[in-house]
Amino acid sequence: MASEIKVYALTTCVHCKHAKEFLDEKHIPYDCVHVDYLTGEERTAIMDVVRKLNPALSFPTIVIGNKVIVGFRRDEIETALSACSK
């Protein structure tokens, strides 16, 4: 399931922190990309990915299966997780 969950986050973002803590508390594995740690071409490439998922380029941008959740929306995350595990 980890490969199905991707979190694009900023290290300074409190909503990103809450989203990661929520997934950690539920013992849900996920891949996290801290966009503010990237530089150069790698950062440009990831920003292009995030822009396609979330044109506003806001964080966190969370991908669970084929569902994109922008911001820390606990209910939406739980719904997407339950749909993903079926």
Side-chain angles (χ1 to χ4, degrees):
M1 193 159 158
S3 61
E4 296 181 47
I5 302 176
K6 193 101 169 174
V7 177
Y8 296 95
L10 300 175
T11 58
T12 57
C13 168
V14 69
H15 301 293
C16 299
K17 180 179 180 230
H18 291 314
K20 293 184 296 176
E21 285 173 350
F22 176 74
L23 292 169
D24 290 342
E25 286 167 9
K26 298 232 175 241
H27 305 286
I28 307 280
Y30 60 93
D31 295 323
C32 182
V33 178
H34 287 111
V35 178
D36 51 339
Y37 280 171
L38 304 176
T39 58
E41 291 178 17
E42 187 179 26
R43 182 180 179 123
T44 301
I46 291 296
M47 291 300 280
D48 287 344
V49 170
V50 175
R51 189 176 288 108
K52 285 183 181 113
L53 298 167
N54 168 17
L57 279 176
S58 53
F59 296 93
T61 296
I62 304 166
V63 182
I64 300 174
N66 60 5
K67 172 90 171 135
V68 177
I69 301 164
V70 177
F72 175 47
R73 304 195 188 305
R74 183 185 311 261
D75 293 344
E76 285 185 43
I77 293 170
E78 286 180 337
T79 300
L81 289 171
S82 64
C84 194
S85 65
K86 291 179 182 174

